[in-house]
Amino acid sequence: MNYDKNKYKIWNWKSPVILHWIINPGLVINELILGQTIPKVMLIERAGNKPFYQRSLVPCPHCGTFHNGLKWSSQNKTAFKNWFGYYCDNCKEIIPVHRNLTSLIILILTFPVWGWFRKSIRQSWLNKQPERYRNINLEIPEKKNTTKNWLKSGLFFGLFMYVTMIIIFPLIEQKEMTQKSLLIGIPVWLICGLAWGYTMKVWMNRKGK
Ligand SMILES: [Zn+2]
């Protein structure tokens, strides 16, 4: 599909946020377990005084609807469980999403296990979707913009990455977990987490030109 480049900034795999999604191995947990994902194409409205959240659109390649990005968000309880992609509540098709490289490798390696059930799992997932999109709220709650909130989400992200990278990954790879790595990990992921939280806050509140 072609989109109006003057009206929208187009986000595809070359955009930093999406590239990060593809490359960061830690996000494999978000994707395979929590079912968080990112659409193949996102459009960001260039004009408008609205914050980022409300200017981001997800086009459905099947029916051409431009969905508000908030349709798949934690406030609507639809940010997770999107293992097969974003469900389009207009045409009932699935909007294609990006795969994290690590989870792609895991999926390929484990295909002999889940491949047999693929169709039935997908169908039962699909059956559950309409219910999830019955009451979608596209307004942003005020509290999203407070300092406490970005601190909290930053700390949470840092903690999450710390546990994943310093504890879970070495366990999976059967590497030794040293006191040193446990200690060094704390300031590293604390700083990364806060930087992440702050960047997200700035990003999400950025207004269009
Ligand atoms: Zn659609």
Side-chain angles (χ1 to χ4, degrees), residues 128-163:
K128 286 181 196 137
Q129 299 313 304
E131 184 61 36
R132 300 178 70 205
Y133 294 87
R134 199 162 286 170
N135 298 307
I136 292 290
N137 175 18
L138 300 178
E139 296 299 316
I140 319 178
E142 275 304 311
K143 64 177 170 76
K144 267 224 162 104
N145 300 331
T146 62
T147 310
K148 211 176 112 200
N149 242 282
W150 76 257
L151 273 177
K152 207 169 83 183
S153 69
L155 286 176
F156 185 77
F157 182 76
L159 178 72
F160 177 79
M161 290 305 290
Y162 176 79
V163 172

PDB file of all heavy atoms in Angstrom, residues 128-163:
ATOM      1  N   LYS A 128     -11.385 -15.616  19.879  1.00  0.00           N
ATOM      2  CA  LYS A 128     -11.484 -14.827  21.112  1.00  0.00           C
ATOM      3  C   LYS A 128     -11.383 -13.329  20.848  1.00  0.00           C
ATOM      4  O   LYS A 128     -11.651 -12.521  21.736  1.00  0.00           O
ATOM      5  CB  LYS A 128     -10.353 -15.220  22.063  1.00  0.00           C
ATOM      6  CG  LYS A 128     -10.578 -16.562  22.708  1.00  0.00           C
ATOM      7  CD  LYS A 128      -9.443 -16.893  23.673  1.00  0.00           C
ATOM      8  CE  LYS A 128      -9.451 -18.362  24.015  1.00  0.00           C
ATOM      9  NZ  LYS A 128      -8.115 -18.960  24.013  1.00  0.00           N
ATOM     10  N   GLN A 129     -10.943 -12.935  19.666  1.00  0.00           N
ATOM     11  CA  GLN A 129     -10.629 -11.535  19.434  1.00  0.00           C
ATOM     12  C   GLN A 129     -11.818 -10.565  19.456  1.00  0.00           C
ATOM     13  O   GLN A 129     -11.736  -9.539  20.118  1.00  0.00           O
ATOM     14  CB  GLN A 129      -9.815 -11.364  18.139  1.00  0.00           C
ATOM     15  CG  GLN A 129      -8.480 -12.094  18.159  1.00  0.00           C
ATOM     16  CD  GLN A 129      -7.694 -11.880  19.432  1.00  0.00           C
ATOM     17  OE1 GLN A 129      -7.407 -10.753  19.825  1.00  0.00           O
ATOM     18  NE2 GLN A 129      -7.362 -12.973  20.128  1.00  0.00           N
ATOM     19  N   PRO A 130     -12.925 -10.845  18.759  1.00  0.00           N
ATOM     20  CA  PRO A 130     -13.990  -9.827  18.695  1.00  0.00           C
ATOM     21  C   PRO A 130     -14.399  -9.300  20.065  1.00  0.00           C
ATOM     22  O   PRO A 130     -14.579  -8.102  20.252  1.00  0.00           O
ATOM     23  CB  PRO A 130     -15.152 -10.578  18.027  1.00  0.00           C
ATOM     24  CG  PRO A 130     -14.497 -11.642  17.226  1.00  0.00           C
ATOM     25  CD  PRO A 130     -13.290 -12.064  18.015  1.00  0.00           C
ATOM     26  N   GLU A 131     -14.464 -10.198  21.028  1.00  0.00           N
ATOM     27  CA  GLU A 131     -14.840  -9.832  22.391  1.00  0.00           C
ATOM     28  C   GLU A 131     -13.884  -8.784  22.988  1.00  0.00           C
ATOM     29  O   GLU A 131     -14.308  -7.858  23.681  1.00  0.00           O
ATOM     30  CB  GLU A 131     -14.827 -11.112  23.244  1.00  0.00           C
ATOM     31  CG  GLU A 131     -15.287 -10.943  24.669  1.00  0.00           C
ATOM     32  CD  GLU A 131     -16.725 -10.457  24.778  1.00  0.00           C
ATOM     33  OE1 GLU A 131     -17.543 -10.872  23.931  1.00  0.00           O
ATOM     34  OE2 GLU A 131     -17.013  -9.657  25.690  1.00  0.00           O
ATOM     35  N   ARG A 132     -12.622  -8.922  22.684  1.00  0.00           N
ATOM     36  CA  ARG A 132     -11.611  -8.026  23.253  1.00  0.00           C
ATOM     37  C   ARG A 132     -11.727  -6.596  22.732  1.00  0.00           C
ATOM     38  O   ARG A 132     -11.238  -5.664  23.339  1.00  0.00           O
ATOM     39  CB  ARG A 132     -10.205  -8.539  22.950  1.00  0.00           C
ATOM     40  CG  ARG A 132      -9.907  -9.897  23.496  1.00  0.00           C
ATOM     41  CD  ARG A 132      -8.506 -10.329  23.089  1.00  0.00           C
ATOM     42  NE  ARG A 132      -7.468  -9.569  23.771  1.00  0.00           N
ATOM     43  CZ  ARG A 132      -6.242  -9.391  23.291  1.00  0.00           C
ATOM     44  NH1 ARG A 132      -5.919  -9.894  22.117  1.00  0.00           N
ATOM     45  NH2 ARG A 132      -5.342  -8.693  23.954  1.00  0.00           N
ATOM     46  N   TYR A 133     -12.334  -6.453  21.569  1.00  0.00           N
ATOM     47  CA  TYR A 133     -12.373  -5.125  20.949  1.00  0.00           C
ATOM     48  C   TYR A 133     -13.745  -4.476  21.034  1.00  0.00           C
ATOM     49  O   TYR A 133     -14.044  -3.529  20.318  1.00  0.00           O
ATOM     50  CB  TYR A 133     -11.879  -5.208  19.497  1.00  0.00           C
ATOM     51  CG  TYR A 133     -10.427  -5.585  19.455  1.00  0.00           C
ATOM     52  CD1 TYR A 133     -10.043  -6.923  19.459  1.00  0.00           C
ATOM     53  CD2 TYR A 133      -9.436  -4.613  19.483  1.00  0.00           C
ATOM     54  CE1 TYR A 133      -8.707  -7.284  19.480  1.00  0.00           C
ATOM     55  CE2 TYR A 133      -8.098  -4.957  19.502  1.00  0.00           C
ATOM     56  CZ  TYR A 133      -7.734  -6.289  19.500  1.00  0.00           C
ATOM     57  OH  TYR A 133      -6.413  -6.637  19.532  1.00  0.00           O
ATOM     58  N   ARG A 134     -14.575  -5.024  21.895  1.00  0.00           N
ATOM     59  CA  ARG A 134     -15.935  -4.514  21.983  1.00  0.00           C
ATOM     60  C   ARG A 134     -15.981  -3.114  22.602  1.00  0.00           C
ATOM     61  O   ARG A 134     -16.709  -2.258  22.145  1.00  0.00           O
ATOM     62  CB  ARG A 134     -16.792  -5.490  22.801  1.00  0.00           C
ATOM     63  CG  ARG A 134     -18.262  -5.272  22.556  1.00  0.00           C
ATOM     64  CD  ARG A 134     -19.074  -6.460  22.985  1.00  0.00           C
ATOM     65  NE  ARG A 134     -18.959  -7.590  22.071  1.00  0.00           N
ATOM     66  CZ  ARG A 134     -19.434  -8.794  22.360  1.00  0.00           C
ATOM     67  NH1 ARG A 134     -20.009  -9.023  23.514  1.00  0.00           N
ATOM     68  NH2 ARG A 134     -19.318  -9.771  21.492  1.00  0.00           N
ATOM     69  N   ASN A 135     -15.209  -2.899  23.634  1.00  0.00           N
ATOM     70  CA  ASN A 135     -15.230  -1.591  24.300  1.00  0.00           C
ATOM     71  C   ASN A 135     -13.865  -0.919  24.230  1.00  0.00           C
ATOM     72  O   ASN A 135     -13.096  -0.946  25.174  1.00  0.00           O
ATOM     73  CB  ASN A 135     -15.620  -1.748  25.773  1.00  0.00           C
ATOM     74  CG  ASN A 135     -16.997  -2.324  25.907  1.00  0.00           C
ATOM     75  OD1 ASN A 135     -17.950  -1.815  25.335  1.00  0.00           O
ATOM     76  ND2 ASN A 135     -17.097  -3.417  26.650  1.00  0.00           N
ATOM     77  N   ILE A 136     -13.585  -0.325  23.100  1.00  0.00           N
ATOM     78  CA  ILE A 136     -12.287   0.315  22.934  1.00  0.00           C
ATOM     79  C   ILE A 136     -12.404   1.802  23.260  1.00  0.00           C
ATOM     80  O   ILE A 136     -13.304   2.480  22.784  1.00  0.00           O
ATOM     81  CB  ILE A 136     -11.785   0.115  21.482  1.00  0.00           C
ATOM     82  CG1 ILE A 136     -11.452  -1.347  21.232  1.00  0.00           C
ATOM     83  CG2 ILE A 136     -10.594   1.015  21.187  1.00  0.00           C
ATOM     84  CD1 ILE A 136     -10.232  -1.874  21.947  1.00  0.00           C
ATOM     85  N   ASN A 137     -11.486   2.269  24.091  1.00  0.00           N
ATOM     86  CA  ASN A 137     -11.470   3.680  24.454  1.00  0.00           C
ATOM     87  C   ASN A 137     -10.230   4.335  23.841  1.00  0.00           C
ATOM     88  O   ASN A 137      -9.115   3.909  24.101  1.00  0.00           O
ATOM     89  CB  ASN A 137     -11.448   3.792  25.987  1.00  0.00           C
ATOM     90  CG  ASN A 137     -11.307   5.221  26.437  1.00  0.00           C
ATOM     91  OD1 ASN A 137     -11.542   6.159  25.666  1.00  0.00           O
ATOM     92  ND2 ASN A 137     -10.911   5.397  27.682  1.00  0.00           N
ATOM     93  N   LEU A 138     -10.439   5.354  23.036  1.00  0.00           N
ATOM     94  CA  LEU A 138      -9.299   5.957  22.358  1.00  0.00           C
ATOM     95  C   LEU A 138      -8.871   7.287  22.975  1.00  0.00           C
ATOM     96  O   LEU A 138      -8.084   8.026  22.410  1.00  0.00           O
ATOM     97  CB  LEU A 138      -9.610   6.146  20.863  1.00  0.00           C
ATOM     98  CG  LEU A 138      -9.925   4.848  20.111  1.00  0.00           C
ATOM     99  CD1 LEU A 138     -10.265   5.122  18.665  1.00  0.00           C
ATOM    100  CD2 LEU A 138      -8.759   3.858  20.184  1.00  0.00           C
ATOM    101  N   GLU A 139      -9.392   7.582  24.157  1.00  0.00           N
ATOM    102  CA  GLU A 139      -8.952   8.790  24.866  1.00  0.00           C
ATOM    103  C   GLU A 139      -7.787   8.427  25.770  1.00  0.00           C
ATOM    104  O   GLU A 139      -7.732   7.336  26.307  1.00  0.00           O
ATOM    105  CB  GLU A 139     -10.094   9.336  25.735  1.00  0.00           C
ATOM    106  CG  GLU A 139     -11.309   9.798  24.947  1.00  0.00           C
ATOM    107  CD  GLU A 139     -10.963  10.923  23.986  1.00  0.00           C
ATOM    108  OE1 GLU A 139     -10.225  11.832  24.418  1.00  0.00           O
ATOM    109  OE2 GLU A 139     -11.404  10.884  22.829  1.00  0.00           O
ATOM    110  N   ILE A 140      -6.844   9.359  25.932  1.00  0.00           N
ATOM    111  CA  ILE A 140      -5.734   9.080  26.838  1.00  0.00           C
ATOM    112  C   ILE A 140      -6.093   9.561  28.226  1.00  0.00           C
ATOM    113  O   ILE A 140      -6.475  10.707  28.395  1.00  0.00           O
ATOM    114  CB  ILE A 140      -4.461   9.846  26.434  1.00  0.00           C
ATOM    115  CG1 ILE A 140      -4.289   9.816  24.929  1.00  0.00           C
ATOM    116  CG2 ILE A 140      -3.248   9.281  27.135  1.00  0.00           C
ATOM    117  CD1 ILE A 140      -3.096  10.590  24.480  1.00  0.00           C
ATOM    118  N   PRO A 141      -5.957   8.704  29.213  1.00  0.00           N
ATOM    119  CA  PRO A 141      -6.198   9.170  30.576  1.00  0.00           C
ATOM    120  C   PRO A 141      -5.142  10.206  30.961  1.00  0.00           C
ATOM    121  O   PRO A 141      -3.979  10.068  30.579  1.00  0.00           O
ATOM    122  CB  PRO A 141      -6.072   7.905  31.419  1.00  0.00           C
ATOM    123  CG  PRO A 141      -5.437   6.889  30.540  1.00  0.00           C
ATOM    124  CD  PRO A 141      -5.563   7.322  29.123  1.00  0.00           C
ATOM    125  N   GLU A 142      -5.534  11.214  31.708  1.00  0.00           N
ATOM    126  CA  GLU A 142      -4.643  12.321  32.073  1.00  0.00           C
ATOM    127  C   GLU A 142      -3.371  11.846  32.761  1.00  0.00           C
ATOM    128  O   GLU A 142      -2.298  12.358  32.530  1.00  0.00           O
ATOM    129  CB  GLU A 142      -5.391  13.298  32.986  1.00  0.00           C
ATOM    130  CG  GLU A 142      -6.218  14.312  32.233  1.00  0.00           C
ATOM    131  CD  GLU A 142      -5.398  15.111  31.227  1.00  0.00           C
ATOM    132  OE1 GLU A 142      -4.340  15.615  31.631  1.00  0.00           O
ATOM    133  OE2 GLU A 142      -5.802  15.208  30.052  1.00  0.00           O
ATOM    134  N   LYS A 143      -3.515  10.859  33.613  1.00  0.00           N
ATOM    135  CA  LYS A 143      -2.376  10.479  34.448  1.00  0.00           C
ATOM    136  C   LYS A 143      -1.165   9.971  33.666  1.00  0.00           C
ATOM    137  O   LYS A 143      -0.081   9.885  34.191  1.00  0.00           O
ATOM    138  CB  LYS A 143      -2.796   9.435  35.478  1.00  0.00           C
ATOM    139  CG  LYS A 143      -3.260   8.116  34.888  1.00  0.00           C
ATOM    140  CD  LYS A 143      -3.572   7.149  36.027  1.00  0.00           C
ATOM    141  CE  LYS A 143      -4.264   5.909  35.590  1.00  0.00           C
ATOM    142  NZ  LYS A 143      -3.625   4.874  34.947  1.00  0.00           N
ATOM    143  N   LYS A 144      -1.358   9.707  32.390  1.00  0.00           N
ATOM    144  CA  LYS A 144      -0.236   9.201  31.579  1.00  0.00           C
ATOM    145  C   LYS A 144       0.964  10.135  31.552  1.00  0.00           C
ATOM    146  O   LYS A 144       2.069   9.723  31.303  1.00  0.00           O
ATOM    147  CB  LYS A 144      -0.718   8.958  30.145  1.00  0.00           C
ATOM    148  CG  LYS A 144      -1.173   7.532  29.959  1.00  0.00           C
ATOM    149  CD  LYS A 144      -0.653   6.960  28.670  1.00  0.00           C
ATOM    150  CE  LYS A 144      -0.724   5.458  28.716  1.00  0.00           C
ATOM    151  NZ  LYS A 144      -1.817   4.925  27.949  1.00  0.00           N
ATOM    152  N   ASN A 145       0.717  11.416  31.776  1.00  0.00           N
ATOM    153  CA  ASN A 145       1.796  12.382  31.579  1.00  0.00           C
ATOM    154  C   ASN A 145       2.582  12.740  32.835  1.00  0.00           C
ATOM    155  O   ASN A 145       3.494  13.535  32.781  1.00  0.00           O
ATOM    156  CB  ASN A 145       1.223  13.671  30.989  1.00  0.00           C
ATOM    157  CG  ASN A 145       0.565  13.386  29.662  1.00  0.00           C
ATOM    158  OD1 ASN A 145       0.953  12.461  28.959  1.00  0.00           O
ATOM    159  ND2 ASN A 145      -0.432  14.171  29.318  1.00  0.00           N
ATOM    160  N   THR A 146       2.247  12.169  33.952  1.00  0.00           N
ATOM    161  CA  THR A 146       2.909  12.601  35.173  1.00  0.00           C
ATOM    162  C   THR A 146       4.306  12.019  35.321  1.00  0.00           C
ATOM    163  O   THR A 146       4.645  10.998  34.728  1.00  0.00           O
ATOM    164  CB  THR A 146       2.091  12.196  36.415  1.00  0.00           C
ATOM    165  OG1 THR A 146       2.014  10.776  36.425  1.00  0.00           O
ATOM    166  CG2 THR A 146       0.701  12.774  36.377  1.00  0.00           C
ATOM    167  N   THR A 147       5.112  12.704  36.136  1.00  0.00           N
ATOM    168  CA  THR A 147       6.488  12.273  36.381  1.00  0.00           C
ATOM    169  C   THR A 147       6.516  10.893  37.020  1.00  0.00           C
ATOM    170  O   THR A 147       7.302  10.033  36.651  1.00  0.00           O
ATOM    171  CB  THR A 147       7.183  13.258  37.353  1.00  0.00           C
ATOM    172  OG1 THR A 147       6.978  14.569  36.858  1.00  0.00           O
ATOM    173  CG2 THR A 147       8.650  12.976  37.466  1.00  0.00           C
ATOM    174  N   LYS A 148       5.623  10.712  37.985  1.00  0.00           N
ATOM    175  CA  LYS A 148       5.598   9.453  38.704  1.00  0.00           C
ATOM    176  C   LYS A 148       5.441   8.291  37.725  1.00  0.00           C
ATOM    177  O   LYS A 148       6.031   7.236  37.885  1.00  0.00           O
ATOM    178  CB  LYS A 148       4.412   9.472  39.679  1.00  0.00           C
ATOM    179  CG  LYS A 148       4.661   8.655  40.942  1.00  0.00           C
ATOM    180  CD  LYS A 148       3.503   8.802  41.902  1.00  0.00           C
ATOM    181  CE  LYS A 148       2.752   7.502  42.015  1.00  0.00           C
ATOM    182  NZ  LYS A 148       1.409   7.643  42.516  1.00  0.00           N
ATOM    183  N   ASN A 149       4.690   8.555  36.709  1.00  0.00           N
ATOM    184  CA  ASN A 149       4.407   7.500  35.759  1.00  0.00           C
ATOM    185  C   ASN A 149       5.593   7.082  34.915  1.00  0.00           C
ATOM    186  O   ASN A 149       5.817   5.901  34.703  1.00  0.00           O
ATOM    187  CB  ASN A 149       3.281   7.941  34.856  1.00  0.00           C
ATOM    188  CG  ASN A 149       2.111   7.031  35.010  1.00  0.00           C
ATOM    189  OD1 ASN A 149       2.122   5.947  34.461  1.00  0.00           O
ATOM    190  ND2 ASN A 149       1.142   7.443  35.800  1.00  0.00           N
ATOM    191  N   TRP A 150       6.369   8.058  34.433  1.00  0.00           N
ATOM    192  CA  TRP A 150       7.513   7.651  33.615  1.00  0.00           C
ATOM    193  C   TRP A 150       8.583   7.017  34.486  1.00  0.00           C
ATOM    194  O   TRP A 150       9.270   6.092  34.078  1.00  0.00           O
ATOM    195  CB  TRP A 150       8.032   8.777  32.721  1.00  0.00           C
ATOM    196  CG  TRP A 150       8.858   9.864  33.369  1.00  0.00           C
ATOM    197  CD1 TRP A 150       8.430  11.114  33.677  1.00  0.00           C
ATOM    198  CD2 TRP A 150      10.247   9.813  33.731  1.00  0.00           C
ATOM    199  NE1 TRP A 150       9.449  11.836  34.235  1.00  0.00           N
ATOM    200  CE2 TRP A 150      10.586  11.070  34.275  1.00  0.00           C
ATOM    201  CE3 TRP A 150      11.237   8.836  33.655  1.00  0.00           C
ATOM    202  CZ2 TRP A 150      11.855  11.370  34.739  1.00  0.00           C
ATOM    203  CZ3 TRP A 150      12.511   9.148  34.127  1.00  0.00           C
ATOM    204  CH2 TRP A 150      12.806  10.398  34.658  1.00  0.00           C
ATOM    205  N   LEU A 151       8.697   7.505  35.739  1.00  0.00           N
ATOM    206  CA  LEU A 151       9.655   6.890  36.652  1.00  0.00           C
ATOM    207  C   LEU A 151       9.281   5.434  36.885  1.00  0.00           C
ATOM    208  O   LEU A 151      10.110   4.536  36.818  1.00  0.00           O
ATOM    209  CB  LEU A 151       9.648   7.626  37.994  1.00  0.00           C
ATOM    210  CG  LEU A 151      10.575   8.832  38.104  1.00  0.00           C
ATOM    211  CD1 LEU A 151      10.416   9.505  39.461  1.00  0.00           C
ATOM    212  CD2 LEU A 151      12.033   8.404  37.904  1.00  0.00           C
ATOM    213  N   LYS A 152       8.011   5.224  37.111  1.00  0.00           N
ATOM    214  CA  LYS A 152       7.533   3.883  37.391  1.00  0.00           C
ATOM    215  C   LYS A 152       7.756   2.962  36.191  1.00  0.00           C
ATOM    216  O   LYS A 152       8.282   1.866  36.321  1.00  0.00           O
ATOM    217  CB  LYS A 152       6.037   3.942  37.743  1.00  0.00           C
ATOM    218  CG  LYS A 152       5.597   2.816  38.646  1.00  0.00           C
ATOM    219  CD  LYS A 152       4.198   3.061  39.193  1.00  0.00           C
ATOM    220  CE  LYS A 152       3.156   2.636  38.195  1.00  0.00           C
ATOM    221  NZ  LYS A 152       1.783   2.911  38.623  1.00  0.00           N
ATOM    222  N   SER A 153       7.385   3.446  35.017  1.00  0.00           N
ATOM    223  CA  SER A 153       7.525   2.565  33.858  1.00  0.00           C
ATOM    224  C   SER A 153       8.997   2.345  33.532  1.00  0.00           C
ATOM    225  O   SER A 153       9.394   1.273  33.090  1.00  0.00           O
ATOM    226  CB  SER A 153       6.746   3.103  32.659  1.00  0.00           C
ATOM    227  OG  SER A 153       7.341   4.275  32.179  1.00  0.00           O
ATOM    228  N   GLY A 154       9.842   3.377  33.773  1.00  0.00           N
ATOM    229  CA  GLY A 154      11.279   3.215  33.552  1.00  0.00           C
ATOM    230  C   GLY A 154      11.878   2.198  34.502  1.00  0.00           C
ATOM    231  O   GLY A 154      12.636   1.330  34.094  1.00  0.00           O
ATOM    232  N   LEU A 155      11.516   2.304  35.763  1.00  0.00           N
ATOM    233  CA  LEU A 155      12.044   1.369  36.757  1.00  0.00           C
ATOM    234  C   LEU A 155      11.569  -0.049  36.461  1.00  0.00           C
ATOM    235  O   LEU A 155      12.317  -1.015  36.577  1.00  0.00           O
ATOM    236  CB  LEU A 155      11.596   1.782  38.168  1.00  0.00           C
ATOM    237  CG  LEU A 155      12.314   3.008  38.739  1.00  0.00           C
ATOM    238  CD1 LEU A 155      11.715   3.388  40.086  1.00  0.00           C
ATOM    239  CD2 LEU A 155      13.810   2.743  38.888  1.00  0.00           C
ATOM    240  N   PHE A 156      10.339  -0.140  36.058  1.00  0.00           N
ATOM    241  CA  PHE A 156       9.783  -1.453  35.743  1.00  0.00           C
ATOM    242  C   PHE A 156      10.513  -2.078  34.563  1.00  0.00           C
ATOM    243  O   PHE A 156      10.900  -3.239  34.590  1.00  0.00           O
ATOM    244  CB  PHE A 156       8.293  -1.312  35.429  1.00  0.00           C
ATOM    245  CG  PHE A 156       7.625  -2.621  35.206  1.00  0.00           C
ATOM    246  CD1 PHE A 156       7.302  -3.441  36.282  1.00  0.00           C
ATOM    247  CD2 PHE A 156       7.333  -3.057  33.926  1.00  0.00           C
ATOM    248  CE1 PHE A 156       6.704  -4.667  36.075  1.00  0.00           C
ATOM    249  CE2 PHE A 156       6.742  -4.279  33.709  1.00  0.00           C
ATOM    250  CZ  PHE A 156       6.417  -5.085  34.794  1.00  0.00           C
ATOM    251  N   PHE A 157      10.744  -1.260  33.547  1.00  0.00           N
ATOM    252  CA  PHE A 157      11.459  -1.756  32.369  1.00  0.00           C
ATOM    253  C   PHE A 157      12.882  -2.184  32.749  1.00  0.00           C
ATOM    254  O   PHE A 157      13.357  -3.237  32.332  1.00  0.00           O
ATOM    255  CB  PHE A 157      11.501  -0.674  31.284  1.00  0.00           C
ATOM    256  CG  PHE A 157      12.173  -1.107  30.021  1.00  0.00           C
ATOM    257  CD1 PHE A 157      11.522  -1.951  29.136  1.00  0.00           C
ATOM    258  CD2 PHE A 157      13.457  -0.684  29.718  1.00  0.00           C
ATOM    259  CE1 PHE A 157      12.147  -2.356  27.961  1.00  0.00           C
ATOM    260  CE2 PHE A 157      14.083  -1.088  28.545  1.00  0.00           C
ATOM    261  CZ  PHE A 157      13.428  -1.927  27.672  1.00  0.00           C
ATOM    262  N   GLY A 158      13.549  -1.341  33.570  1.00  0.00           N
ATOM    263  CA  GLY A 158      14.904  -1.669  34.017  1.00  0.00           C
ATOM    264  C   GLY A 158      14.945  -2.986  34.775  1.00  0.00           C
ATOM    265  O   GLY A 158      15.786  -3.840  34.519  1.00  0.00           O
ATOM    266  N   LEU A 159      14.002  -3.156  35.679  1.00  0.00           N
ATOM    267  CA  LEU A 159      13.934  -4.375  36.477  1.00  0.00           C
ATOM    268  C   LEU A 159      13.691  -5.589  35.577  1.00  0.00           C
ATOM    269  O   LEU A 159      14.329  -6.631  35.697  1.00  0.00           O
ATOM    270  CB  LEU A 159      12.800  -4.257  37.499  1.00  0.00           C
ATOM    271  CG  LEU A 159      12.581  -5.487  38.382  1.00  0.00           C
ATOM    272  CD1 LEU A 159      13.721  -5.623  39.388  1.00  0.00           C
ATOM    273  CD2 LEU A 159      11.252  -5.413  39.105  1.00  0.00           C
ATOM    274  N   PHE A 160      12.787  -5.395  34.651  1.00  0.00           N
ATOM    275  CA  PHE A 160      12.437  -6.454  33.721  1.00  0.00           C
ATOM    276  C   PHE A 160      13.663  -6.873  32.900  1.00  0.00           C
ATOM    277  O   PHE A 160      13.971  -8.052  32.757  1.00  0.00           O
ATOM    278  CB  PHE A 160      11.322  -5.943  32.805  1.00  0.00           C
ATOM    279  CG  PHE A 160      10.925  -6.917  31.754  1.00  0.00           C
ATOM    280  CD1 PHE A 160      10.088  -7.971  32.072  1.00  0.00           C
ATOM    281  CD2 PHE A 160      11.375  -6.772  30.461  1.00  0.00           C
ATOM    282  CE1 PHE A 160       9.719  -8.874  31.102  1.00  0.00           C
ATOM    283  CE2 PHE A 160      11.008  -7.676  29.480  1.00  0.00           C
ATOM    284  CZ  PHE A 160      10.170  -8.726  29.807  1.00  0.00           C
ATOM    285  N   MET A 161      14.396  -5.873  32.383  1.00  0.00           N
ATOM    286  CA  MET A 161      15.574  -6.174  31.572  1.00  0.00           C
ATOM    287  C   MET A 161      16.668  -6.807  32.434  1.00  0.00           C
ATOM    288  O   MET A 161      17.385  -7.694  31.993  1.00  0.00           O
ATOM    289  CB  MET A 161      16.099  -4.898  30.896  1.00  0.00           C
ATOM    290  CG  MET A 161      15.209  -4.367  29.800  1.00  0.00           C
ATOM    291  SD  MET A 161      14.818  -5.567  28.508  1.00  0.00           S
ATOM    292  CE  MET A 161      16.402  -5.724  27.692  1.00  0.00           C
ATOM    293  N   TYR A 162      16.776  -6.318  33.672  1.00  0.00           N
ATOM    294  CA  TYR A 162      17.781  -6.861  34.583  1.00  0.00           C
ATOM    295  C   TYR A 162      17.535  -8.357  34.805  1.00  0.00           C
ATOM    296  O   TYR A 162      18.416  -9.181  34.623  1.00  0.00           O
ATOM    297  CB  TYR A 162      17.718  -6.109  35.915  1.00  0.00           C
ATOM    298  CG  TYR A 162      18.653  -6.642  36.969  1.00  0.00           C
ATOM    299  CD1 TYR A 162      20.005  -6.316  36.959  1.00  0.00           C
ATOM    300  CD2 TYR A 162      18.179  -7.477  37.979  1.00  0.00           C
ATOM    301  CE1 TYR A 162      20.857  -6.813  37.926  1.00  0.00           C
ATOM    302  CE2 TYR A 162      19.028  -7.968  38.948  1.00  0.00           C
ATOM    303  CZ  TYR A 162      20.368  -7.636  38.923  1.00  0.00           C
ATOM    304  OH  TYR A 162      21.221  -8.139  39.880  1.00  0.00           O
ATOM    305  N   VAL A 163      16.314  -8.685  35.143  1.00  0.00           N
ATOM    306  CA  VAL A 163      15.977 -10.089  35.404  1.00  0.00           C
ATOM    307  C   VAL A 163      16.204 -10.926  34.145  1.00  0.00           C
ATOM    308  O   VAL A 163      16.767 -12.014  34.188  1.00  0.00           O
ATOM    309  CB  VAL A 163      14.513 -10.203  35.895  1.00  0.00           C
ATOM    310  CG1 VAL A 163      14.090 -11.657  35.990  1.00  0.00           C
ATOM    311  CG2 VAL A 163      14.368  -9.532  37.248  1.00  0.00           C
TER     312      VAL A 163
END
